[in-house]
Amino acid sequence: MQWLSVPSKRALNRCFQHCNRRGLEENPVANLIQRLETTTPGVKISLTSGDNSFVYGNSQIAIGGDTRTVGKSDYNMQVRGTSTYLGESFPLIVVDGAITQLDISTINPNDVENITFLKDAAAASIWGTRAANGVMVITTKRGINNQAPTVSFSATAAISSAPNLDYLRTMNSAQTIEYERELVDKGLIATPNAATALGQPIADATDLYFKLKAGTITQAAYQDAIDQYTSRDSRDQIKQYFLQPSANQQYNLAVRGGGNASNYFYSASYSKERPYAVGTQGERLTITLNNTFKLFKKATLTTSIKGAFFNLKNNGISLNSFYSPSAVTFMPYNQVVDDNGNRVQRSNRYYSGWQNTLPSKGFLNWGYNALDELDNADNTQKDNNYSANINLNVPIVKGLSATGFFGTERTFSKTRRYYNENSYYYRDQVNLFTPLPAAGATTTTNSIGLVPGAGILSLVNTTNNNYNARAQLNYDDKIGTDHQVTALAGTEIRQTIVGQGLNTYYGYNMGTGISRAVNYFTPYATVQGFNQSLSGAPTQGDKTRRYLSYFANAAYTYKQKYSLTASARYDDYNNFGVDRKFRATPLWSGGFKWDVSKESFLKNESWISNLSLRTTYGVNGNISTTLFPFTYISIGNVDSPTGLPTASIIAPANPELRWEKTYVANIGLDFGFFKNRLNGTVDVYNKKGRDLYFSFPLNGTYGFTTLTRNSSRMTGNGVDLGIGGTIIQSGDWELTSRLNYSYNTNKVEDDRMVANSQTFSSPAFSPTISGYPTDRLFVYQNAGLDANGLTLIYDETGKKIPANQNITSLAALKYAGRTTAPHFGSLNTALRYKDFTLMAIATYQFGSVFLKPTISGYPTLRNGTKYDLSEDVALRWRKAGDELTTNVPGVAGTSSPVSLTRYMQSDINVLKGDYIRLRELSLSYRIPVDKITKAVKTADFGFAVRNLGLLWTANKEGIDPDFTGNLSSTTLGLPATVSYSFSLNVNF
């Protein structure tokens, strides 16, 4: 395909990294992102959900968010760090010449021939939009002319143990009960009221203690119950009922071949994945049909048709639902199933003392049991993804050809969640919208009209419709013997249309398909005595993005030693300013390469196989898909007094909204010595971001306090190093190794970004500050506790500041470092003996810091009940004198929230994020099939062990920096456990 081959030729003086099929096949997992983790310097891949390949924590497209939302909580990828504050940050992905909007999980890794990462300014001239974040160009396999059909089959199976729940640092039952007693004694939890519907749920031990203080139970009864609670550990039942060993399997079948005028590559793969959450699983089927035809012995026509189909069941109960600090946190003494095998019901909406009286008045059982929810869950998602492209290259005269390209993508996604009559959500909605009956009555009437035998059906239908068309002229020819000229020029149009509709059907009957008509604009009577609107009103969202581009590239090479390149691109985007001068932007680059090894003064240096210097400079562009030049209005809920719908302005008009620009300078060295037994690349780069999006204060008299505009700056720099070679090569033995090292940092260059009140009240999560990296971490300087158990901090003079006194200087805070490791990389080593190959893969990172997981908050009468089970709670201050032995503040006091924040975000909780991780050990064997049968050409058997753990970590707390285990995190994940996989690859 001409469009793909030209960048490869023109990359002579550009910064790119090439991953071939052999390197990708060394790691036989079902997701391409995991195979790339250790292949490319400058590319940082973060795996935050173990080895999940396509069953993500978030598999739903969110059209209101960034371009990438699927899998965002499971992995991330950055090329040379970040270049934006609010714009797109994920690299652009190109598959077989077309920019794709699909997640990388839609690609079968076994179909990939090679991957090229473009990292410098040249990426913009080739691919335009979002090239500032780097470009990953994926080329899938194709057939081979004049080759008889060859069939390839592979199978892989992997299993790993259930995750280690003990990794979460939580209190035991006795510590938790003692904590609850203190909260009650100090009046931090409101006394429950069994006579009203407004009482918040409280933990069982808290309720018992209130009853003891009220005299409704005896001390002996209280102690008997507490003794039972103390003997329990709820982790046992969570492990038993909700966690499981994860497993996955994948099968691939491919055939390739060709004749004189055509070739083909066809493949199909099936993968099944079962993560560690019971009730969650997924299946994936991919199909690839690639063809190449020679027309009239002149023109070349290539086609590619791909399909990726997913069937997901998302019925698992997340760890967040157990451990997230709230009024209904699953306490260490709670049970899912009691000692007699009966399922235990818990109150999740109101105080149990009142809620448990309702069934006698005609209400449904309002209890919650996680195991019941697992049994009744019916949450599925089906995604059908299609892509097709066609490329025609027609020679015109010698060296000159014309290319036409068209590509399209379609996604049809249906997420279906059905709450049957036994599910907690259905029972909760029925009871919530059932007013209390009159005194003495035993029957109730649901104000919505929900009846037994029905349920609530929630549907989300998402479509993605993208197309890309390109026309260009290509020139590639030699002039004489010393001059080589390569050039292209063309135009491209691209459009993406995403739509999403949400519908909720109340009283839906699965047998008849009939639901209850409801009015989302009329509030309904509730059990609380006031009216409330229903959630789930039908919505439809659509977004259209259009791009128009003109581009030109040229390269000149003299005597195969000196190369000059130049490129320009003019991109237009419909969602920028009303004037074309804001919508469109020119992007350009230039470069030079000197192949030193071909100079005459090195012709006698036979040990130098390759030595070349290259440099590029240019500008890349970037956008934000969430910003618009016009006023952005959102329709809201119903206004209770009038019953009319409401609307709000999300963002004011900004007619000058335009592209972000990043200027990139790159100097590189490519080398190979001793017949390339030692080889590598070194790149040094500098980036300057201009016109970056940022939200700055606006005069409040305009009706808005902030406006996001192109007015900020950022600089960055770094080093990419990849060095490898053959250490031993003797007879049947071969030892090879490759080391990747990357350094990247950035700096905010905007004097308007200064410390403010948020910086001093919450420094760890404060806004960006000029002169520091975007991922800077500021913390308080801890000075211990005062006599009342409140946190003290030092100011800039070394004076101790109490919790009721503010700081106003940045010098009073401590700059702890960066939360993203500036130094990272990998080491791959392979030892081959005859037909056996042993390989080890290690990753490392240095220079980052993180905050140790600790208490997120104490309950207060104002903010409500919230039980945090962090082990640090057991170390809290309780009485005068404790300040001599602990730094964890106490629960009470008018300044307690400030005190706790200053403890959480203080230097004593900062840990180093440095580590060396042994990612994988594998052993493969090339089976000598030629001695067994002629029907099989090659056969390989492999065994691999992944996630072997940390070989070394700078922090001595036993915390994996990639999985901090913060109980208040929105995506509470556990470190991946050791997995064992077996693979078989056969070629016929």
Side-chain angles (χ1 to χ4, degrees):
M1 191 179 297
Q2 185 71 14
W3 179 254
L4 294 178
S5 63
V6 169
S8 177
K9 293 178 182 178
R10 293 174 40 67
L12 290 173
N13 62 337
R14 301 186 172 184
C15 182
F16 74 103
Q17 196 74 30
H18 194 68
C19 307
N20 59 27
R21 177 181 61 194
R22 180 180 177 183
L24 294 171
E25 291 175 348
E26 291 176 347
N27 189 0
V29 290
N31 194 319
L32 191 59
I33 199 74
Q34 293 161 333
R35 298 194 183 195
L36 292 170
E37 183 186 10
T38 62
T39 60
T40 308
V43 179
K44 183 173 179 59
I45 293 176
S46 303
L47 303 176
T48 54
S49 187
D51 281 344
N52 289 359
S53 297
F54 55 88
V55 183
Y56 294 144
N58 173 36
S59 55
Q60 180 67 62
I61 296 174
I63 67 170
D66 295 333
T67 298
R68 174 181 177 252
T69 54
V70 175
K72 201 167 186 177
S73 62
D74 293 76
Y75 73 89
N76 192 32
M77 177 167 58
Q78 283 190 331
V79 177
R80 291 185 166 180
T82 184
S83 302
T84 183
Y85 301 115
L86 302 176
E88 290 289 307
S89 59
F90 197 75
L92 189 68
I93 299 178
V94 178
V95 180
D96 288 339
I99 295 174
T100 181
Q101 302 295 121
L102 304 179
D103 183 72
I104 201 169
S105 63
T106 60
I107 301 171
N108 175 17
N110 294 280
D111 289 346
V112 176
E113 182 69 30
N114 59 67
I115 295 177
T116 302
F117 282 94
L118 306 178
K119 300 185 286 186
D120 65 356
S125 66
I126 301 171
W127 300 111
T129 310
R130 286 170 46 206
N133 305 312
V135 183
M136 182 168 69
V137 182
I138 300 172
T139 303
T140 59
K141 296 175 182 177
R142 293 201 165 267
I144 302 174
N145 288 98
N146 300 310
Q147 176 180 286
T150 60
V151 178
S152 302
F153 172 78
S154 66
T156 302
I159 189 169
S160 60
S161 58
N164 178 19
L165 195 58
D166 297 336
Y167 179 79
L168 300 178
R169 312 296 181 85
T170 60
M171 293 185 290
N172 60 34
S173 294
Q175 292 169 331
T176 303
I177 293 169
E178 193 275 334
Y179 173 49
E180 293 179 61
R181 286 174 60 100
E182 183 181 3
L183 296 176
V184 173
D185 288 338
K186 293 185 175 178
L188 298 176
I189 297 180
T191 303
N193 187 347
T196 177
L198 301 179
Q200 195 176 16
I202 56 175
D204 293 345
T206 303
D207 192 25
L208 278 174
Y209 193 49
F210 271 119
K211 291 177 179 178
L212 176 66
K213 293 173 72 72
T216 57
I217 62 172
T218 65
Q219 177 67 42
Y222 171 80
Q223 194 58 51
D224 285 344
I226 294 302
D227 289 344
Q228 291 184 37
Y229 289 174
T230 305
S231 65
R232 296 175 186 165
D233 186 344
S234 62
R235 291 176 296 185
D236 295 336
Q237 291 199 343
I238 294 176
K239 296 174 187 176
Q240 180 180 355
Y241 296 113
F242 304 103
L243 300 180
Q244 63 185 356
S246 60
N248 66 72
Q249 51 188 297
Q250 51 181 309
Y251 306 93
N252 298 278
L253 180 65
V255 58
R256 70 192 306 179
N260 290 329
S262 66
N263 61 62
Y264 57 87
F265 172 82
Y266 303 148
S267 77
S269 75
Y270 171 79
S271 301
K272 185 174 183 180
E273 187 165 87
R274 186 189 69 188
Y276 65 70
V278 173
T280 299
Q281 67 175 39
E283 296 175 291
R284 181 187 71 180
L285 174 66
T286 67
I287 296 174
T288 298
L289 304 172
N290 289 344
N291 286 92
T292 302
F293 304 95
K294 200 73 173 179
L295 305 179
F296 310 109
K297 298 182 180 181
K298 295 287 186 180
T300 302
L301 177 70
T302 60
T303 63
S304 178
I305 300 174
K306 301 181 182 69
F309 312 96
F310 296 85
N311 188 1
L312 308 175
K313 292 183 178 179
N314 299 314
N315 296 328
I317 307 295
S318 70
L319 291 177
N320 295 76
S321 65
F322 292 106
Y323 288 105
S324 181
S326 68
V328 294
T329 301
F330 198 72
M331 309 299 271
Y333 52 77
N334 281 144
Q335 292 179 302
V336 180
V337 177
D338 66 18
D339 297 337
N340 297 317
N342 301 310
R343 297 186 178 185
V344 178
Q345 301 294 318
R346 304 175 64 226
S347 296
N348 266 19
R349 183 175 282 275
Y350 300 114
Y351 172 55
S352 59
W354 176 80
Q355 187 172 292
N356 293 340
T357 65
L358 296 180
S360 63
K361 300 176 181 179
F363 284 77
L364 300 178
N365 168 33
W366 215 336
Y368 174 89
N369 179 275
L371 202 52
D372 285 343
E373 291 309 293
L374 189 61
D375 291 342
N376 288 292
D378 186 4
N379 182 15
T380 61
Q381 180 176 335
K382 292 185 178 181
D383 290 355
N384 295 329
N385 304 278
Y386 307 89
S387 67
N389 62 53
I390 181 170
N391 188 88
L392 178 64
N393 180 261
V394 180
I396 301 174
V397 295
K398 181 184 177 183
L400 181 65
S401 65
T403 299
F405 175 89
F406 179 80
T408 183
E409 288 182 338
R410 297 288 189 275
T411 294
F412 303 93
S413 174
K414 181 178 181 179
T415 299
R416 176 186 175 280
R417 184 186 290 268
Y418 183 67
Y419 304 93
N420 66 35
E421 62 179 331
N422 296 315
S423 67
Y424 175 78
Y425 182 74
Y426 183 78
R427 291 181 285 113
D428 177 71
Q429 293 296 291
V430 171
N431 286 344
L432 176 63
F433 288 97
T434 300
L436 287 171
T442 58
T443 60
T444 58
T445 302
N446 182 263
S447 60
I448 306 176
L450 298 179
V451 296
I456 298 174
L457 177 64
S458 175
L459 295 178
V460 180
N461 291 295
T462 306
T463 59
N464 208 333
N465 184 351
N466 313 312
Y467 75 80
N468 183 13
R470 184 186 311 122
Q472 70 184 52
L473 292 173
N474 316 291
Y475 181 79
D476 189 0
D477 198 11
K478 272 191 172 184
I479 302 174
T481 58
D482 295 334
H483 310 279
Q484 175 79 38
V485 177
T486 303
L488 63 82
T491 183
E492 179 181 29
I493 57 173
R494 188 163 66 90
Q495 177 176 271
T496 67
I497 302 175
V498 60
Q500 190 170 78
L502 291 80
N503 290 278
T504 303
Y505 302 90
Y506 284 86
Y508 187 83
N509 186 294
M510 289 290 292
T512 64
I514 298 174
S515 61
R516 180 77 178 179
V518 297
N519 190 334
Y520 292 98
F521 299 103
T522 300
Y524 290 88
T526 68
V527 71
Q528 297 169 317
F530 53 80
N531 294 347
Q532 180 177 322
S533 298
L534 291 177
S535 62
T539 63
Q540 177 66 38
D542 296 278
K543 290 191 176 182
T544 300
R545 305 182 184 99
R546 297 188 182 97
Y547 308 85
L548 172 63
S549 304
Y550 305 95
F551 54 86
N553 292 263
Y556 168 70
T557 302
Y558 177 65
K559 290 189 175 182
Q560 298 183 338
K561 293 187 292 185
Y562 314 104
S563 298
L564 289 172
T565 62
S567 63
R569 185 179 180 100
Y570 192 70
D571 278 339
D572 198 346
Y573 175 51
N574 69 311
N575 284 332
F576 280 161
V578 294
D579 193 300
R580 183 178 174 83
K581 68 181 180 180
F582 298 117
R583 294 199 318 268
T585 188
L587 307 172
W588 54 268
S589 71
F592 172 73
K593 179 184 177 183
W594 177 25
D595 196 335
V596 186
S597 58
K598 293 182 179 180
E599 293 289 354
S600 58
F601 58 80
L602 289 179
K603 66 180 180 180
N604 295 324
E605 305 296 334
S606 59
W607 60 278
I608 299 179
S609 308
N610 172 47
L611 184 63
S612 60
L613 291 170
R614 50 187 165 75
T615 181
T616 59
Y617 181 75
V619 58
N620 288 336
N622 193 26
I623 66 171
S624 171
T625 59
T626 61
L627 299 177
F628 302 93
F630 42 76
T631 302
Y632 193 8
I633 300 176
S634 174
I635 303 298
N637 294 325
V638 175
D639 177 62
S640 296
T642 64
L644 298 175
T646 63
S648 60
I649 297 178
I650 298 176
N654 182 1
E656 297 183 356
L657 193 67
R658 57 192 183 275
W659 294 75
E660 292 186 330
K661 293 183 178 180
T662 301
Y663 296 82
V664 184
N666 191 98
I667 299 176
L669 171 69
D670 303 320
F671 61 87
F673 304 133
F674 311 111
K675 297 182 180 179
N676 282 319
R677 285 191 60 174
L678 176 64
N679 60 82
T681 63
V682 182
D683 283 276
V684 179
Y685 59 89
N686 180 272
K687 301 195 294 183
K688 294 182 179 180
R690 297 294 182 265
D691 291 341
L692 304 185
Y693 307 123
F694 202 82
S695 295
F696 286 102
L698 191 69
N699 189 328
T701 59
Y702 289 105
F704 311 97
T705 57
T706 61
L707 176 67
T708 301
R709 45 192 167 179
N710 300 83
S711 58
S712 193
R713 301 177 301 278
M714 180 196 305
T715 59
N717 59 81
V719 176
D720 296 338
L721 168 65
I723 183 170
T726 303
I727 302 172
I728 297 174
Q729 192 172 44
S730 176
D732 294 329
W733 291 90
E734 183 180 71
L735 176 63
T736 61
S737 186
R738 183 160 191 87
L739 173 69
N740 289 334
Y741 165 78
S742 300
Y743 168 76
N744 173 267
T745 190
N746 63 67
K747 184 179 179 181
V748 177
E749 300 280 0
D750 195 321
D751 293 338
R752 294 168 296 178
M753 299 183 184
V754 296
N756 55 29
S757 58
Q758 186 178 344
T759 307
F760 304 128
S761 62
S762 183
F765 308 101
S766 62
T768 305
I769 298 177
S770 183
Y772 292 92
T774 55
D775 57 347
R776 75 278 162 269
L777 178 64
F778 282 98
V779 290
Y780 296 108
Q781 300 179 75
N782 194 283
L785 303 176
D786 64 15
N788 296 313
L790 300 176
T791 302
L792 296 169
I793 59 173
Y794 292 110
D795 69 4
E796 64 275 18
T797 66
K799 177 184 176 183
K800 293 183 178 181
I801 304 299
N804 62 354
Q805 183 176 334
N806 296 326
I807 58 171
T808 58
S809 171
L810 187 62
L813 299 174
K814 179 180 180 180
Y815 173 61
R818 298 182 58 194
T819 57
T820 302
H823 307 273
F824 62 93
S826 62
L827 176 64
N828 294 18
T829 302
L831 175 64
R832 181 186 62 81
Y833 174 69
K834 291 186 177 180
D835 293 323
F836 291 91
T837 301
L838 177 66
M839 186 173 68
I841 301 176
T843 61
Y844 64 86
Q845 68 173 37
F846 304 104
S848 65
V849 295
F850 66 98
L851 283 176
K852 185 186 75 170
T854 186
I855 313 165
S856 63
Y858 288 134
T860 65
L861 290 177
R862 179 178 180 180
N863 297 326
T865 303
K866 183 174 75 170
Y867 299 102
D868 192 314
L869 301 182
S870 169
E871 65 177 1
D872 279 0
V873 174
L875 304 175
R876 70 193 179 281
W877 182 97
R878 296 174 177 80
K879 62 183 185 304
D882 286 352
E883 64 271 13
L884 301 177
T885 58
T886 185
N887 287 313
V888 183
V891 299
T894 56
S895 299
S896 177
V898 174
S899 169
L900 183 58
T901 297
R902 290 184 174 181
Y903 165 72
M904 289 188 295
Q905 301 181 32
S906 68
D907 51 1
I908 62 174
N909 285 320
V910 174
L911 299 178
K912 290 184 177 182
D914 305 355
Y915 67 71
I916 301 175
R917 185 189 304 278
L918 183 56
R919 174 61 75 188
E920 180 177 321
L921 285 175
S922 65
L923 178 64
S924 63
Y925 174 59
R926 172 62 58 91
I927 302 172
V929 292
D930 56 324
K931 300 178 181 178
I932 303 173
T933 177
K934 294 183 179 180
V936 179
K937 294 181 179 179
T938 62
D940 296 273
F941 177 77
F943 172 70
V945 185
R946 281 179 57 82
N947 308 316
L948 289 96
L950 297 172
L951 298 176
W952 171 85
T953 180
N955 81 79
K956 305 307 176 185
E957 304 284 336
I959 299 176
D960 188 329
D962 290 342
F963 301 88
T964 57
N966 195 327
L967 299 179
S968 61
S969 171
T970 55
T971 54
L972 179 58
L974 297 173
T977 56
V978 178
S979 68
Y980 305 90
S981 67
F982 299 88
S983 62
L984 176 66
N985 296 274
V986 182
N987 295 304
F988 300 92

